[in-house]
Amino acid sequence: MKKRTLCRRTVCLKLLCVALIVTGVLFTTLQILDVSTEERRNEQRNPPMTQCVPILRPTPASRGEHYNNENKERENSSCKAITNIFFLKTHKTASSTIMNILLRYGEFHNLTFALPLYNNSQFLYPKYFSASFVDGFSARSKDTYHIMCHHMRFLLTEVEKVVPANTFYFTILRNPVSLMESSFSYYKSTDSFIRAKSLEDFLSKTSYYYRGNSHARNIMTFDLGFNHNGKESPKHFRLTGKMVEATYDLVLITEYFDESLVLLKDALCWTFDDVLSFPLNTRTNSTKLTISQETQEKIKSWNQLDWQLYVYFNNSFWERVEKFGKERMQREIEELRKRRDQMSKLCLQNTAVASKIRDKSLIPYQSGKAIILGYNLKSGLGKAEQLLCQRLVTPEIQYTNLLWAKQRKSKFSSIKSWIIGVRRPK
Ligand SMILES: Nc1ncnc2c1ncn2[C@@H]1O[C@H](COP(=O)(O)OS(=O)(=O)O)[C@@H](OP(=O)(O)O)[C@H]1O
């Protein structure tokens, strides 16, 4: 009798396991197939991930490690490379270039990314971030993610659910004047900008054109999780600055991109090779505007919250450079540029508009009135160089797609081994 009950329990348990697996597979399939109406509406902001680049296996040479002994020196030094990283990818701030550095580092060091759900590269932006927007997230998976670096509207309590406690937080800010010129061109077809004849026209009739969306006003403040139509007072500016300072270990400045990379390299205890990058998401000169002094002032005034934030962190950035040592900074920038030059000679044939990019998987997403440039690689590269060069110029959407596929594949392999383990007779 007892044996039979035991037997029935074992059968029940097995059935339960099978049911769970079937539900899991169904759920995953539904997740893949589901493109909700809201996601479709957000396509402008959250472009679909369609293009694919081949998954290749990284080697030390493809990591760039054959160019110098720096990695060996690092191995002997006391500082240990930081691998738990959160990067708040702010909009139109060169954040895609920084992101490419993180994606490459993570891929080549087999780290795990907290990626957005399939088909949404921006964690359902402009909604506030929620841990449930992370692909495969469960409360138990918390300590499994190393890097999180996609666009989002920041919410600390939710991010903390996803990343480990010792995570390094950083972000990047850009002068709101050039940022808004860039946004106006890139987001020209969004609500607030679509009817404006020019940036000047928009700025002279903001109460008529502005529809409240973040791309048109104080976008950095919005991305950082604050009210982008909020109060403008010295007390408010100071408080926001202090709050950001308390959350982020480092705030980079777009205008001082190489100085920023050197500080980042130092803070993460990484090497020059780790922070090598080529500018991504750049526009043709034909889609850039020259901004008069008067318009610059209007932009600052319209984006006062962003402007004050920028001034605050521009100051703290230079204090940090001072601490780092100005001469040392100069030396390291020279070294970084030398290596970037070498890499550029090795990899790049030219920059090109979409129609002139030979490898269609390397075409960057195009938006609004902006003509976004990509790269053609040199032909005849060795296998390892080909991989490194290709990754250096792989746009965000394609790279995310690739990592998504890689992580899904490894998750499916673990489930498969678990099923085989359950089935194997004792
Ligand atoms: N290395 C470096 N240094 C300085 N500026 C750089 C760099 N890399 C990219 N960029 C400029 O950053 C703008 C694109 O920003 P993002 O990649 O953050 O855009 S996006 O929000 O992800 O669409 C875009 O600015 P605009 O050309 O003014 O639009 C890029 O030219």
Side-chain angles (χ1 to χ4, degrees):
M1 178 73 171
K2 263 188 187 169
K3 248 188 185 172
R4 248 202 339 250
T5 322
L6 210 67
C7 239
R8 250 189 248 136
R9 268 194 200 148
T10 322
V11 171
C12 279
L13 261 174
K14 277 186 179 165
L15 279 174
L16 196 68
C17 280
V18 172
L20 274 175
I21 292 161
V22 171
T23 319
V25 171
L26 267 176
F27 180 69
T28 317
T29 318
L30 282 177
Q31 264 195 336
I32 293 169
L33 294 177
D34 178 44
V35 181
S36 69
T37 330
E38 186 174 8
E39 277 172 2
R40 251 182 268 128
R41 231 183 285 127
N42 277 344
E43 234 173 51
Q44 168 83 23
R45 304 185 202 106
N46 303 309
M49 297 189 252
T50 44
Q51 304 268 19
C52 261
V53 283
I55 299 175
L56 299 168
R57 203 168 278 283
T59 63
S62 68
R63 287 196 280 263
E65 288 171 11
H66 58 312
Y67 285 104
N68 57 78
N69 285 326
E70 204 191 350
N71 294 291
K72 277 195 196 119
E73 282 165 23
R74 267 289 144 92
E75 270 168 27
N76 299 332
S77 91
S78 61
C79 88
K80 194 171 175 313
I82 290 179
T83 52
N84 288 340
I85 298 161
F86 172 83
F87 170 56
L88 178 69
K89 188 178 189 300
T90 44
H91 287 82
K92 309 315 301 172
T93 55
S95 62
S96 306
T97 308
I98 298 286
M99 179 195 219
N100 180 275
I101 291 172
L102 298 174
L103 297 182
R104 251 180 308 126
Y105 188 92
E107 185 194 4
F108 291 175
H109 291 83
N110 271 329
L111 304 179
T112 311
F113 292 90
L115 296 175
L117 296 171
Y118 184 69
N119 224 20
N120 194 303
S121 58
Q122 304 202 21
F123 289 120
L124 299 182
Y125 186 91
K127 280 187 185 173
Y128 266 115
F129 174 75
S130 155
S132 63
F133 301 161
V134 174
D135 186 55
F137 174 79
S138 78
R140 273 180 298 130
S141 61
K142 181 177 156 83
D143 286 333
T144 63
Y145 297 115
H146 296 102
I147 300 180
M148 194 174 189
C149 58
H150 284 74
H151 283 303
M152 67 162 69
R153 186 169 192 205
F154 185 71
L155 187 57
L156 181 62
T157 47
E158 286 297 305
V159 170
E160 279 176 337
K161 287 183 189 166
V162 180
V163 299
N166 64 351
T167 294
F168 179 90
Y169 285 64
F170 79 107
T171 189
I172 183 162
L173 301 180
R174 182 180 182 181
N175 186 323
V177 174
S178 51
L179 194 159
M180 187 162 196
E181 189 275 315
S182 172
S183 293
F184 186 76
S185 145
Y186 197 83
Y187 299 113
K188 184 69 184 76
S189 44
T190 58
D191 282 3
S192 297
F193 290 152
I194 194 156
R195 292 167 309 139
K197 289 183 203 75
S198 62
L199 179 54
E200 283 76 11
D201 182 35
F202 172 82
L203 289 164
S204 61
K205 291 183 224 141
T206 46
S207 54
Y208 174 65
Y209 290 126
Y210 182 52
R211 297 291 160 94
N213 65 313
S214 63
H215 294 112
R217 191 182 199 189
N218 293 316
I219 188 167
M220 298 188 291
T221 302
F222 182 88
D223 288 355
L224 283 157
F226 301 101
N227 177 3
H228 65 132
N229 292 307
K231 266 195 182 161
E232 291 177 12
S233 71
K235 187 179 156 198
H236 203 78
F237 302 145
R238 217 176 24 255
L239 266 176
T240 312
K242 291 273 172 224
M243 278 171 84
V244 175
E245 212 163 42
T247 310
Y248 292 85
D249 298 288
L250 179 62
V251 176
L252 309 180
I253 301 286
T254 312
E255 282 67 29
Y256 308 105
F257 196 78
D258 287 350
E259 284 85 348
S260 292
L261 289 185
V262 169
L263 288 185
L264 182 68
K265 173 184 91 65
D266 182 63
L268 295 179
C269 189
W270 285 10
T271 66
F272 284 106
D273 291 336
D274 295 332
V275 296
L276 275 191
S277 60
F278 298 135
L280 297 178
N281 243 352
T282 57
R283 276 177 300 155
T284 54
N285 284 336
S286 65
T287 55
K288 285 183 189 166
L289 299 170
T290 312
I291 309 282
S292 70
Q293 194 60 44
E294 190 192 341
T295 307
Q296 290 189 25
E297 293 311 315
K298 280 188 183 165
I299 296 178
K300 283 183 206 166
S301 157
W302 174 245
N303 296 282
Q304 192 54 209
L305 296 172
D306 271 10
W307 176 251
Q308 293 297 337
L309 201 65
Y310 179 73
V311 170
Y312 187 102
F313 284 100
N314 195 18
N315 282 337
S316 58
F317 181 85
W318 287 105
E319 279 166 22
R320 198 147 172 161
V321 171
E322 199 77 45
K323 270 191 205 140
F324 182 84
K326 281 200 163 164
E327 273 178 32
R328 182 176 163 211
M329 175 57 79
Q330 211 41 52
R331 274 199 312 275
E332 299 219 352
I333 285 180
E334 274 163 31
E335 183 63 32
L336 181 74
R337 289 182 181 159
K338 195 177 92 192
R339 288 177 194 222
R340 189 189 292 137
D341 258 19
Q342 284 173 351
M343 198 54 82
S344 164
K345 280 186 189 125
L346 173 80
C347 297
L348 304 180
Q349 187 180 327
N350 58 2
T351 52
V353 295
S355 60
K356 296 271 161 58
I357 298 175
R358 284 191 305 274
D359 181 345
K360 299 300 169 211
S361 73
L362 298 180
I363 296 178
Y365 183 73
Q366 306 290 316
S367 168
K369 287 247 185 300
I371 300 177
I372 304 290
L373 293 163
Y375 294 94
N376 278 312
L377 295 182
K378 282 194 173 155
S379 42
L381 292 167
K383 209 172 166 189
E385 280 83 10
Q386 170 72 25
L387 171 64
L388 175 60
C389 297
Q390 192 181 40
R391 292 297 196 261
L392 273 158
V393 300
T394 297
E396 164 184 353
I397 295 171
Q398 289 90 316
Y399 213 144
T400 304
N401 218 12
L402 177 151
L403 292 171
W404 192 89
K406 245 184 170 176
Q407 289 192 180
R408 277 279 160 121
K409 199 172 155 209
S410 82
K411 208 166 182 184
F412 271 120
S413 320
S414 342
I415 295 176
K416 210 169 103 191
S417 358
W418 182 77
I419 295 171
I420 293 167
V422 168
R423 280 225 218 101
R424 192 172 294 143
K426 290 203 175 125

